Amino acid sequence: MCGIVGLFLKDRSLEPQLGALLSDMLVTMTDRGPDSAGIAIYGAQSRGKAKITIQSATPGADFARLEGALAELDLRVGLTVKSTHAILEVETEKVDETRAALARLRPGVRIMGSGDSIEIYKETGLPKDVVARFDVRSMAGTHGIGHTRMATESAVTTLGAHPFSTGADQCLVHNGSLSNHNNLRRELVREGMTFETQNDTEVAAAYLSAKLAKGEDLGQALTSALDDLDGFFTFVVGTKSGFGVVRDPIACKPAVMAETDRYVAFGSEYRALVSLPGIEDARVWEPEPATVYFWDHEKAA
């Protein structure tokens, strides 16, 4: 049993409130998963710049003098530290080179995600503590997703927490359990994907990243997942401009959605949505089994 939330803003005037709204939604789901929690925020983009979110168990040592060490390799970055995480702002064409340099210079650092707009913060502990630790409430953005975990498939660790990100500006949160994730992992490794955990959700994220890399849009990738993934699952997925939801054909995991002319929201239970502005006038429904829902800022919903 885990708790999932997601918020996709249509009304730009709500963007300064995204972090606060999403944080309240996630904290409400605390009793569905006390082990670890995480949030992905899609925020402002800088022309020619990308972001890499990194995490360290020893941030004092790993983040100290990191800018200088990278500069010696002609990798000029901006570093913003938030507790055990940090955001590196790098030139877009230097992302892969910077990731490779981090592996050499700071082998204890883990990459949570990268892209033009995504920032991911996740740690063990309760949602209220994770939210406070990274000052998520102050963050602005266009959309975001969050997760509070009750571990069933792997250990309670930072890397095992959700969201999982396996592609640029892509992430996924999951409530459920996949039965064929080991076979899928082997297939994806043969296609060139790499994995950092034994978590079944990382496999689902990598599966969608592989589909998107082949030219499918988010809706097509989620439709493919219904044929290729076995088990019980509710997924909420983020891309740079999109937000998607899908449930398996049995749909035994709870889910509720709400839509107004200002936003689309997802929660594992309705109580996660009750504090959203104008919720009393929203269209509220339970997403159908084996049905893909997705919205995209760059396309019509």
Side-chain angles (χ1 to χ4, degrees):
M1 181 174 74
C2 298
I4 303 175
V5 297
L7 187 59
F8 178 90
L9 300 180
K10 303 177 183 179
D11 183 348
R12 296 200 63 176
S13 71
L14 286 176
E15 290 181 11
Q17 302 178 51
L18 177 68
L21 293 170
L22 199 59
S23 294
D24 286 341
M25 294 168 70
L26 186 63
V27 170
T28 303
M29 292 288 94
T30 296
D31 58 353
R32 294 193 61 85
D35 298 334
S36 58
I39 281 184
I41 297 284
Y42 289 85
Q45 302 177 40
S46 299
R47 182 180 295 275
K49 297 288 187 178
K51 302 175 186 179
I52 303 174
T53 307
I54 59 176
Q55 183 272 348
S56 172
T58 56
D62 280 331
F63 298 160
R65 297 181 296 279
L66 179 57
E67 285 177 276
L70 290 169
E72 291 178 4
L73 300 174
D74 197 29
L75 297 169
R76 306 192 183 282
V77 306
L79 177 70
T80 303
V81 176
K82 288 190 176 184
S83 185
T84 58
H85 288 45
I87 304 298
L88 292 175
E89 188 175 66
V90 307
E91 295 177 19
T92 301
E93 65 270 18
K94 297 279 190 178
V95 169
D96 290 342
E97 190 177 347
T98 303
R99 290 174 69 113
L102 284 169
R104 298 193 306 271
L105 295 171
R106 297 291 191 272
V109 163
R110 295 291 178 263
I111 295 175
M112 300 289 99
S114 65
D116 292 340
S117 63
I118 192 172
E119 296 181 21
I120 295 178
Y121 301 94
K122 60 183 187 178
E123 276 292 2
T124 57
L126 298 173
K128 68 178 181 63
D129 297 325
V130 173
V131 163
R133 185 174 201 167
F134 302 114
D135 194 24
V136 175
R137 292 186 184 277
S138 70
M139 297 183 70
T142 57
H143 56 298
I145 63 178
H147 186 274
T148 183
R149 183 177 184 228
M150 182 175 288
T152 58
E153 289 292 329
S154 59
V156 179
T157 64
T158 301
L159 284 178
H162 303 206
F164 278 92
S165 180
T166 53
D169 283 311
Q170 298 167 21
C171 67
L172 178 146
V173 293
H174 171 207
N175 182 20
S177 179
L178 300 180
S179 58
N180 66 335
H181 60 97
N182 286 323
N183 288 337
L184 281 172
R185 183 184 285 108
R186 286 190 287 269
E187 292 176 14
L188 290 165
V189 166
R190 286 194 291 270
E191 293 181 18
M193 300 296 293
T194 59
F195 294 88
E196 294 195 82
T197 75
Q198 294 301 308
N199 194 295
D200 59 337
T201 305
E202 187 179 14
V203 175
Y207 170 88
L208 293 176
S209 293
K211 291 292 184 182
L212 292 169
K214 293 174 182 176
E216 295 187 14
D217 65 22
L218 179 56
Q220 292 168 329
L222 291 172
T223 299
S224 297
L226 289 168
D227 294 324
D228 294 337
L229 303 184
D230 292 332
F232 304 116
F233 56 85
T234 296
F235 295 142
V236 179
V237 183
T239 66
K240 182 164 68 173
S241 61
F243 172 86
V245 173
V246 69
R247 303 170 81 194
D248 68 82
I250 297 176
C252 65
K253 298 298 181 181
V256 62
M257 301 194 71
E259 184 171 14
T260 72
D261 59 358
R262 306 186 74 192
Y263 59 78
V264 179
F266 177 95
S268 291
E269 299 177 38
Y270 178 73
R271 59 193 169 103
L273 313 180
V274 295
S275 295
L276 291 173
I279 189 65
E280 63 277 3
D281 298 319
R283 179 175 75 93
V284 179
W285 77 99
E286 180 180 348
E288 294 290 334
T291 301
V292 172
Y293 302 84
F294 76 105
W295 292 260
D296 195 308
H297 284 120
E298 296 181 354
K299 300 177 182 179

